[in-house]
Amino acid sequence: MKWIRDPQLLPIAAKVEAGERLTFEEGMVLYRTPDLNTLARLADLVRNRQHGDKTYFVHSLRLEFTNLCYVGCTFCAFAARKGDPHAWDYDADTVVAKVREKYEPGITELHMSSGHHPNRPWSFYPEMVGKLRAAFPDLQVKAFTAAEIEHLSRISKKPTLEVLRELQAAGLAAMPGGGAEIFADRVRKQVAKNKVKAERWLQIHREAHSIGMRTNATMLYGHIETLEERLDHMHRLRDLQDETGGFHAFIPLAFQPMGNSLAQNLGKTDYTTGLDDLRNLAVARIYLDNFPHIKGYWVMISSELTQVSLDWGVSDVDGTIVEEHIAHAAGAQSPLGLSKNKMIEMIQRAGRVPVLRDAFYNELEIYPAAAALAGD
Ligand code: V47
C-alpha cells in the first residue's frame, strides 16, 4: 500500500483487498482520484483474482442486417431512412448468404444487431434465426439488443418475454448489451428519447436471464453524461446482476464523434481520451464486483489501448468481428476486423494468456503466454 498517493484511496484499497463491495460514494472517489496508478493496481487485483492472466476472446462475425431505423438516436451515424443511397436491408436468405461469404471454420459467434426496421413483420426475425441455425449449426447466434426486443414486442403485439422465448426456440443463444446508452433520464431524453426506457431495458434483460439466456450490458460514455450518471448506470446493472447473475460482460462504449447530430450540436470532434477510457474500465472492474468480465472493445478504443487495458481490469477483448459498421459509421479508426492471430498476439504481447472462448464463455483453447516480450 506504500504506493498509494491519494489518502482517500486507503480505506477503499483495504476494502478491495478484502473483497468487499464499494458504496456509490467510494465509486465516485475512484472516478475523481488523481492517483491513476493505484486505481489501475486495484482493478488489476480484482481482475487477477478472478481470472489470473487469462484473457478471453471469441472468433466471431458481426452482421447488421439492416441500417434502416426510425428511432433517431442523436449519437447514431449508422441509421438510414428508406431510399437513402447508403441504406441496406437484407432478407433472411441474403443474411444467410452474407454470413456464408464471411464465414470460416472456427467462427463460433455471430453477433447481430441492427436498426429498428420500419416495416418488416415479426415473423421475419425467428425465421432469420432459424435459417441461420439450419445453415450454420455450429454458429451461436447472439443477437437483438433489448431495444430491438422491445421493438419486436411492439410489432408482434406479444409481451417481451414471449418474444424472447420464441427467438430462443428458433435458436437465439444470447443477447448483446447494446441499447443501454446511459440509463439516467436526463441524458436518455437528449440522446435516445424514442428508444427503450431504462427500466424496460433492465426488465428485458431480467426476463432473458429468467429463461436461461445470458446477456451483456453496455454503457455509451464520453458525450453529455456526468461521472455520477456513469456510476448510476453501473449501479443499476450491479443491482440487477445481484438479482439474476445473468450478465456475462460489461462493455463501456467510447463515444465516436463523427457523422452524428449529438457531436455536431456539441461542436465535438475529439474522441474520448485514453486515460478516460482506462479509468472507466478500471472503475467498472472494481465497482461491478458481480460481473464475470469487463470487456475492452478494441473497435472503439483501438487495439493498442485495449492491450494496455488488460492491466486496468479488462479480461475480455470481444472478437475478430470481420466487419463492423455501427462504430465505423461514427468515425471509429480501428480496422473493420482483426484476424484470430492478431488477437492472440495482442493478448500475448500484453503479457497475458489468450483464451479462445465461445459465446457462452466455454474455453475452447488456451494459448501459451509469450515467451519473450521484447519489441513492444
Ligand atoms: O447500441 C451507436 C452504440 C451499440 C455510437 O454485447 C455508439 O458483446 C459509440 O452494443 N459511439 C452497438 N457507440 C454496439 C454494441 C456492442 C458492441 C460490442 C460488444 C457488444 C456485446 C455490444 O453501439 C449501440 C449504441 O449503444 N453506439 N453509435 C457512437 N457514435
Side-chain angles (χ1 to χ4, degrees):
M1 303 260 237
K2 262 189 255 148
W3 66 81
I4 299 182
R5 287 186 292 116
D6 177 359
Q8 277 196 292
L9 288 180
L10 281 166
I12 294 179
K15 280 179 90 170
V16 173
E17 284 188 348
E20 288 170 27
R21 174 162 283 192
L22 298 192
T23 64
F24 191 89
E25 291 66 32
E26 289 164 338
M28 286 313 299
V29 172
L30 298 182
Y31 258 131
R32 296 213 169 96
T33 182
D35 187 353
L36 288 166
N37 184 34
T38 300
L39 178 63
R41 282 188 185 222
L42 294 177
D44 199 38
L45 176 85
V46 177
R47 180 249 201 260
N48 291 340
R49 195 155 54 203
Q50 279 179 303
H51 302 293
D53 281 334
K54 283 183 173 177
T55 302
Y56 293 79
F57 75 104
V58 61
H59 197 183
S60 65
L61 185 59
R62 189 70 63 85
L63 186 82
E64 295 92 1
F65 49 85
T66 185
N67 59 352
L68 291 177
C69 189
Y70 60 80
V71 173
C73 298
T74 60
F75 52 77
C76 182
F78 166 80
R81 302 274 165 175
K82 267 209 164 139
D84 283 353
H86 64 290
W88 73 85
D89 182 15
Y90 304 147
D91 62 19
D93 290 328
T94 311
V95 168
V96 172
K98 290 279 171 191
V99 171
R100 186 161 286 123
E101 260 172 43
K102 307 276 176 195
Y103 181 78
E104 51 182 89
I107 292 185
T108 54
E109 178 187 284
L110 172 65
H111 175 160
M112 282 198 303
S113 77
S114 299
H116 293 26
H117 193 289
N119 52 12
R120 274 218 184 269
W122 153 244
S123 57
F124 165 75
Y125 298 87
E127 181 200 338
M128 172 175 61
V129 174
K131 284 191 168 176
L132 281 165
R133 292 288 296 150
F136 306 98
D138 297 336
L139 208 53
Q140 298 157 342
V141 180
K142 169 181 138 208
F144 311 119
T145 66
E148 289 171 273
I149 296 293
E150 197 198 46
H151 164 68
L152 298 184
S153 156
R154 218 174 298 139
I155 60 171
S156 65
K157 302 194 171 42
K158 294 173 195 277
T160 45
L161 181 58
E162 184 53 29
V163 167
L164 288 166
R165 279 193 207 283
E166 290 187 29
L167 288 171
Q168 189 180 42
L172 183 66
M175 271 171 67
E181 324 313 355
I182 290 279
F183 291 143
D185 241 20
R186 183 194 74 85
V187 179
R188 219 168 171 82
K189 275 189 196 134
Q190 294 180 66
V191 305
K193 75 170 188 305
N194 301 323
K195 205 171 206 167
V196 64
K197 300 280 171 281
E199 276 314 310
R200 291 288 296 147
W201 189 99
L202 291 161
Q203 174 61 14
I204 290 166
H205 281 261
R206 182 181 285 113
E207 288 172 355
H209 300 167
S210 79
I211 57 169
M213 193 185 288
R214 302 293 296 267
T215 73
N216 288 336
T218 58
M219 174 176 79
L220 171 55
Y221 70 97
H223 44 96
I224 58 166
E225 83 292 353
T226 62
L227 296 179
E228 284 81 1
E229 286 161 341
R230 287 189 198 179
L231 197 65
D232 165 70
H233 189 96
M234 291 185 200
H235 195 87
R236 296 193 210 194
L237 290 171
R238 191 172 79 175
D239 282 349
L240 180 54
Q241 182 74 333
D242 275 346
E243 204 184 305
T244 66
F247 288 114
H248 273 311
F250 175 68
I251 310 133
L253 301 175
F255 180 53
Q256 309 294 305
M258 298 301 158
N260 57 71
S261 61
L262 180 60
Q264 274 155 18
N265 294 340
L266 294 171
K268 193 171 166 53
T269 51
D270 49 336
Y271 291 77
T272 54
T273 65
L275 280 179
D276 191 19
D277 298 331
L278 292 173
R279 181 194 290 270
N280 207 42
L281 289 161
V283 173
R285 179 58 292 166
I286 299 166
Y287 200 74
L288 293 176
D289 55 5
N290 51 6
F291 269 64
H293 293 283
I294 304 298
K295 198 185 269 194
Y297 188 38
W298 63 264
V299 171
M300 291 184 184
I301 62 169
S302 84
S303 53
E304 291 82 356
L305 195 70
T306 302
Q307 264 187 320
V308 177
S309 77
L310 303 188
D311 285 351
W312 291 68
V314 164
S315 55
D316 186 296
V317 293
D318 199 78
T320 49
I321 294 177
V322 184
E323 197 174 312
E324 195 281 345
H325 293 283
I326 297 176
H328 286 90
Q333 292 168 322
S334 52
L336 289 182
L338 284 181
S339 70
K340 190 172 147 193
N341 284 344
K342 276 257 181 258
M343 297 213 73
I344 293 170
E345 196 181 273
M346 169 171 92
I347 297 166
Q348 284 176 327
R349 289 191 167 173
R352 302 286 181 165
V353 173
V355 180
L356 179 67
R357 63 163 176 87
D358 65 10
F360 301 113
Y361 283 79
N362 294 310
E363 295 184 2
L364 304 180
E365 192 162 353
I366 303 180
Y367 298 86
L373 301 174
D376 297 291

